[in-house]
Amino acid sequence: MACARVPLDEQQVTEPGPLGKERTLPALHPDRKEERYFVPYKPLPEDSTPAEVEEFLEHAKFITEDLEWLLALPHDKFWCQVVFDESLQRCLDSYLHHAPRGLDLAALPSSPAVAEMQRSVHRMVFLTFLRMATHKESKENFLTPAVFGEIIYDNFLFDIPKILDLCMLFGKGNSQLLHKMIENIFTQQPSYYSDLDETVPTVLEVFDTILDRCGLQCEGATAMEPMKLNAHKQPTAMTMSQQELVDIILYLCDSTTTIHAFLDIFPAACSSFHSHSFLDRLTSFYETAVPDLEKALRKRNFDDKGVQEDAWKRLSHSCRKMVETAHLVLHHTCLQPILEGGENMQTFAEELLQHFTSFLPEKRFLSDYDEQFPIADDISLLHQALPVIDETRTSYLLQGVESAWDSVGRRKPQSQIQLRTSSSSFVANQGAVGGASAASSSASFNPQEVREPGEGGESLRGAEAMLDVSRKGNNGAVCPVSGAELESLLSCIRDLLPDLGEGFLLACLQEYDYNSELVINNILEDRLAPNLDKLDRAMPRPVKEEISSVLSKRSNVFDDDEFDIFRRDQVDMSRIWKGRRKGESARELLDDKQHIAEQKARYQAYETVVDEVVIEPGESAASYGLDDYDDEYDDTYDMNQVGANDLDGDSLLNRRPFTVPQVLRKGNKHEDVDEGEDEDEEEESVQNNVNRDQFVQDPALLRERAEARRAAMQQRKGIRPERPSNVVGRAKGQGQTLETFLDRRKKEANKSRGANHNRRTMADRKRNKGMIPS
């Protein structure tokens, strides 16, 4: 066993070897790994069948059981499995790659069993990553910090893309744990900071890629590389396909949400983004791409309005996250050092004002930023912290903000102007107590929470107009989160508190302004509001009562017919026209024999006539589709002729074979036989049908028939048949006859007529005669 209070990387263990002999190995050794295969995660496909749902549940159960087994291992065994088991890393990577995000409405669980299993896998994966990021579990179980940093870095247990996905998937409700986890990773291995610096340019390429796909000029590319004359014109947001436009918006939404989640959980990364001029690139992209995408979504006609509405919501969410990301970078790189105080306060204040000045040309971005985070509040904080700030410069900035509102055709709400004054006074009072509290007050102030759309004649723009209806509930209250975000908040809380009902959690979220961390904290510490304590903690989610429409109550003689547009989503428009059809004449109407084809199936049902059915011993008539014998049946007037169908009976009593009416027959000469033809003609017709159905006829028979036809034709025309050609002749040295000499000369002269120069003609001839299958 491992010695106590010794790091795992320095421990030695004694274990029996493959041959039974004891050997001493390091505690971290590949031979100590257990042989276990971790299956990768596969998401449940959309519109899945019951078989696919069952397969997903079984697959997810394997993953849950394997991760539970992994987490139950001792400290040394756990790290041996994590470091040396490649299937475990593939399993974890597959979940980070394919797990449904919070905004994926299509990925919401289709049944309670699927939701519960998805929640279990989600929790096990997070606990596994949490233990992998912990180098000291107790006084006895720990790793040397330097060795821990080398292990997670050299074995790629964590990298920047994985950390971004972790923040995206587990950020809601677990931000504090994630912050400690990521902070420990970066602290124990500083090489991740250099990796982050190398990753930021790749993140910025996302904006360039979207601009290029939308046909918008990229400043860096157009300045260095002039466009060629023969270059193809790039498609724009208005000309590209609908699916490509939706994919671009999904890509933008996923990228901006991930960046914001990472910077929100790990603010220390803001300096890396800030050093690469992230704010300048972000504001320029916002000003160029967002209006173009909104215009495309507003003016293009989508086949599915649900897809268009979902794209509006995602674009609006992306805009909000980009503005919040810009505020995070400004707050942690400029505002926070000013509020904390220090020697370089003047430098940070100058940098903040410089950023605000660079925002002035970006009218759309500046108005959206000022709507969520009023610039006047930040300038007020600067005046309080540094009274030496030039008021002329700040007045110029405020006038530029007002000009930005006017240039985009919007008017700042009066409620925001009034709240700005009260917020500034509140910040001033808090500033007297401490700079840190003032920073939190400024960061938490959000004008959207008190903004009333439509007040004072204000018109909503773009995506906000589409979201205005979806944000309101039945009672008209404004919900600050979308439906997907609300489901994500509920899922995060239920991962930790599965015994609580969704109805109770919804009430708690509404009470605490949809702050999941505050809800979890108050529930665990039993500090809920009095009105929430009175509620049943297992209360389910209330069911929305749908108001029945007038169409569901009305009755009509044409209900449920093929043209009932109120109950049918699709109607055959080819059967609907006004007036006479184009090109339709009375002759075409008379020539329409469709009713004959419809009657053909009815007559074919009478072709098979059963006279007698022989019932085997031990079987009943019901097994043959016949009625059982009825002892009460009166057969007095039945005209059953006993023995009429026997072999020695009168042939006149035999049933005449059924004949299909002539009008329903196919148009071939074998079926158009009149009823008055004699039996010899019928037998010949049957024989012809048999010969016609043969796959390949006998070639010898075909040659005999052809020879007979040629002889008959020559006899009618009085042509003497030609003698057979003899080009072989006698043996060499015996001399040749005149006939052989003439035949050879004739063959030599005419060999080009029918040798290999007409292969296609001869092949067609053989095929027509049935010698070659077609």
Side-chain angles (χ1 to χ4, degrees):
M1 295 297 294
C3 300
R5 298 187 182 277
V6 177
L8 181 62
D9 51 279
E10 299 178 3
Q11 293 179 10
Q12 301 286 332
V13 294
T14 303
E15 292 182 351
L19 301 178
K21 185 178 180 180
E22 292 188 353
R23 57 177 180 172
T24 302
L25 297 174
L28 288 176
H29 196 273
D31 292 344
R32 302 194 65 209
K33 175 179 70 71
E34 299 289 340
E35 293 298 332
R36 194 179 186 96
Y37 180 75
F38 292 82
V39 295
Y41 174 82
K42 294 181 180 180
L44 182 66
E46 298 182 10
D47 302 328
S48 55
T49 61
E52 292 175 337
V53 172
E54 184 178 357
E55 180 184 2
F56 171 80
L57 293 176
E58 184 178 7
H59 205 81
K61 185 178 179 181
F62 290 154
I63 297 176
T64 304
E65 292 176 352
D66 290 342
L67 294 182
E68 287 178 352
W69 171 84
L70 177 68
L71 293 173
L73 291 176
H75 186 252
D76 54 340
K77 288 286 188 179
F78 172 81
W79 279 103
C80 288
Q81 204 74 25
V82 167
V83 174
F84 302 114
D85 194 343
E86 296 181 357
S87 65
L88 171 61
Q89 298 305 320
R90 288 195 296 267
C91 173
L92 297 176
D93 292 347
S94 65
Y95 185 80
L96 295 181
H97 183 70
H98 297 291
R101 268 53 178 172
L103 294 175
D104 296 338
L105 293 176
L108 292 178
S110 57
S111 64
V114 174
E116 184 64 28
M117 186 58 66
Q118 178 66 36
R119 192 179 298 113
S120 299
V121 176
H122 190 80
R123 184 173 183 272
M124 289 295 104
V125 171
F126 177 69
L127 292 178
T128 303
F129 276 109
L130 185 62
R131 188 176 183 184
M132 288 167 53
T134 305
H135 70 283
K136 184 177 181 180
E137 296 182 3
S138 63
K139 294 182 179 180
E140 293 78 15
N141 300 322
F142 63 95
L143 282 164
T144 305
V147 177
F148 169 76
E150 294 178 359
I151 289 176
I152 63 175
Y153 191 80
D154 295 340
N155 295 280
F156 295 94
L157 301 185
F158 291 97
D159 52 30
I160 300 302
K162 283 185 181 181
I163 294 174
L164 292 175
D165 288 334
L166 287 172
C167 295
M168 179 66 181
L169 288 173
F170 305 103
K172 290 296 183 75
N174 303 293
S175 59
Q176 295 181 358
L177 289 176
L178 273 175
H179 173 74
K180 294 180 180 179
M181 180 173 119
I182 299 174
E183 186 179 21
N184 186 52
I185 293 173
F186 276 80
T187 301
Q188 307 305 333
Q189 182 52 268
S191 298
Y192 282 110
Y193 282 105
S194 59
D195 290 352
L196 180 60
D197 289 334
E198 297 177 1
T199 306
V200 173
T202 306
V203 174
L204 294 176
E205 289 180 3
V206 173
F207 301 144
D208 297 337
T209 302
I210 296 176
L211 290 175
D212 182 65
R213 295 291 296 273
C214 294
L216 303 173
Q217 292 184 354
C218 180
E219 296 179 359
T222 55
M224 300 300 296
E225 301 176 3
M227 182 178 293
K228 298 180 181 180
L229 295 178
N230 58 351
H232 295 286
K233 186 178 180 180
Q234 290 287 342
T236 63
M238 292 295 296
T239 59
M240 68 176 60
S241 63
Q242 292 183 5
Q243 185 60 42
E244 188 175 2
L245 177 61
V246 172
D247 290 342
I248 289 176
I249 294 177
L250 292 176
Y251 181 48
L252 174 63
C253 181
D254 183 69
S255 302
T256 54
T257 306
T258 303
I259 296 172
H260 175 267
F262 174 64
L263 296 180
D264 187 28
I265 293 174
F266 188 60
C270 291
S271 58
S272 298
F273 280 78
H274 184 258
S275 62
H276 288 81
S277 302
F278 177 76
L279 286 177
D280 297 336
R281 298 286 295 276
L282 178 64
T283 55
S284 176
F285 169 80
Y286 192 100
E287 191 71 18
T288 305
V290 170
D292 191 69
L293 293 175
E294 285 186 353
K295 178 182 177 182
L297 288 177
R298 189 183 303 112
K299 292 188 176 182
R300 293 188 61 168
N301 294 324
F302 280 74
D303 300 332
D304 188 355
K305 297 299 181 183
V307 174
Q308 184 182 18
E309 183 178 354
D310 182 68
W312 271 115
K313 294 178 180 179
R314 291 181 182 273
L315 182 58
S316 175
H317 180 79
S318 303
C319 296
R320 186 166 60 252
K321 291 304 177 183
M322 283 189 282
V323 171
E324 292 176 357
T325 302
H327 178 73
L328 279 174
V329 175
L330 283 178
H331 177 77
H332 291 288
T333 57
C334 300
L335 278 175
Q336 189 69 26
I338 294 174
L339 297 174
E340 291 176 353
E343 298 179 357
N344 299 324
M345 292 178 58
Q346 185 68 31
T347 304
F348 290 116
E350 182 65 26
E351 187 176 1
L352 179 63
L353 294 176
Q354 185 64 34
H355 282 300
F356 285 155
T357 305
S358 65
F359 293 168
L360 293 180
E362 320 295 345
K363 304 294 185 181
R364 174 62 188 277
F365 174 82
L366 184 60
S367 60
D368 291 349
Y369 182 91
D370 185 65
E371 183 179 9
Q372 294 193 42
F373 308 100
I375 295 179
D377 292 347
D378 296 334
I379 293 178
S380 176
L381 287 175
L382 289 180
H383 281 294
Q384 296 174 19
L386 296 171
V388 296
I389 293 295
D390 188 5
E391 294 185 0
T392 305
R393 187 177 182 183
T394 56
S395 300
Y396 172 76
L397 287 176
L398 295 178
Q399 292 177 2
V401 173
E402 299 294 336
S403 176
W405 280 88
D406 297 337
S407 62
V408 297
R410 298 162 57 193
R411 187 173 59 184
K412 189 178 300 186
Q414 295 295 328
S415 57
Q416 186 185 109
I417 299 175
Q418 295 174 1
L419 284 173
R420 182 180 304 159
T421 305
S422 59
S423 175
S424 301
S425 60
F426 174 75
V427 169
N429 294 332
Q430 293 287 65
V433 178
S437 60
S440 62
S441 175
S442 175
S444 62
F445 178 72
N446 189 354
Q448 282 190 338
E449 298 179 0
V450 294
R451 178 174 176 266
E452 298 179 1
E455 181 180 359
E458 180 191 0
S459 60
L460 297 176
R461 71 180 188 283
E464 292 183 357
M466 297 292 297
L467 283 174
D468 183 51
V469 178
S470 61
R471 289 177 179 175
K472 295 184 178 181
N474 297 332
N475 57 356
V478 178
C479 179
V481 297
S482 62
E485 292 177 335
L486 183 60
E487 294 295 335
S488 177
L489 292 174
L490 289 174
S491 177
C492 292
I493 299 176
R494 286 181 61 84
D495 287 343
L496 300 176
L497 305 170
D499 298 334
L500 301 180
E502 292 187 356
F504 175 74
L505 295 180
L506 283 174
C508 295
L509 287 172
Q510 186 176 4
E511 177 70 21
Y512 295 106
D513 296 331
Y514 297 91
N515 188 339
S516 59
E517 298 180 5
L518 187 59
V519 170
I520 294 174
N521 184 60
N522 290 340
I523 292 176
L524 294 178
E525 296 183 0
D526 198 14
R527 294 191 306 175
L528 291 174
N531 57 334
L532 297 177
D533 280 334
K534 300 177 182 179
L535 298 178
D536 182 11
R537 299 205 171 193
M539 180 175 61
R541 178 182 291 192
V543 181
K544 294 183 179 179
E545 297 181 359
E546 298 183 358
I547 303 176
S548 58
S549 61
V550 179
L551 295 177
S552 62
K553 298 180 180 179
R554 61 106 177 177
S555 298
N556 196 288
V557 294
F558 301 108
D559 284 347
D560 298 322
D561 66 357
E562 58 179 330
F563 302 113
D564 188 0
I565 61 175
F566 299 108
R567 288 180 171 83
R568 291 179 179 269
D569 296 333
Q570 297 181 353
V571 178
D572 188 5
M573 301 301 297
S574 62
R575 300 196 58 192
I576 302 175
W577 68 89
K578 183 178 181 181
R580 178 178 292 181
R581 287 185 178 180
K582 293 182 179 180
E584 183 179 16
S585 61
R587 185 64 182 175
E588 293 178 354
L589 185 61
L590 293 176
D591 291 341
D592 186 8
K593 305 301 181 183
Q594 184 179 1
H595 60 285
I596 297 178
E598 295 175 353
Q599 294 295 331
K600 186 174 181 179
R602 177 179 299 178
Y603 280 95
Q604 286 179 347
Y606 295 97
E607 288 185 356
T608 304
V609 180
V610 181
D611 292 334
E612 296 179 358
V613 177
V614 180
I615 302 177
E616 300 293 337
E619 297 182 355
S620 62
S623 60
Y624 292 89
L626 304 176
D627 296 333
D628 295 337
Y629 173 72
D630 187 6
D631 188 52
E632 301 296 332
Y633 178 71
D634 184 9
D635 58 352
T636 304
Y637 300 100
D638 286 353
M639 300 299 293
N640 295 330
Q641 300 188 18
V642 180
N645 294 327
D646 296 342
L647 296 178
D648 57 351
D650 187 3
S651 61
L652 295 178
L653 295 178
N654 290 334
R655 185 181 298 276
R656 180 183 179 184
F658 180 81
T659 302
V660 180
Q662 186 176 359
V663 71
L664 298 178
R665 299 179 189 174
K666 295 183 179 179
N668 54 64
K669 62 182 181 180
H670 300 294
E671 294 185 1
D672 294 332
V673 181
D674 296 333
E675 296 180 0
E677 293 184 352
D678 55 2
E679 296 179 357
D680 295 336
E681 293 177 351
E682 291 181 359
E683 292 177 358
E684 182 180 3
S685 175
V686 173
Q687 184 67 22
N688 291 338
N689 289 336
V690 173
N691 294 336
R692 183 191 62 184
D693 292 338
Q694 292 180 356
F695 184 73
V696 177
Q697 297 185 8
D698 187 5
L701 181 60
L702 293 176
R703 287 194 295 270
E704 291 178 3
R705 292 178 182 175
E707 185 65 26
R709 285 196 300 270
R710 284 194 297 270
M713 181 184 66
Q714 293 174 358
Q715 185 178 4
R716 287 196 305 269
K717 294 183 178 181
I719 301 174
R720 185 179 64 181
E722 296 182 359
R723 62 177 177 81
S725 177
N726 183 16
V727 296
V728 178
R730 300 173 183 175
K732 188 176 182 181
Q734 298 181 3
Q736 304 297 335
T737 62
L738 179 60
E739 293 178 353
T740 302
F741 178 75
L742 294 176
D743 289 341
R744 287 180 177 180
R745 186 172 65 178
K746 182 179 178 180
K747 178 181 178 182
E748 180 69 21
N750 298 323
K751 67 179 182 180
S752 62
R753 180 180 60 83
N756 290 330
H757 300 281
N758 57 352
R759 300 177 197 168
R760 181 176 298 174
T761 304
M762 297 304 294
D764 294 340
R765 182 179 178 185
K766 289 182 180 181
R767 185 178 293 105
N768 293 336
K769 290 183 178 182
M771 300 176 65
I772 300 177
S774 58

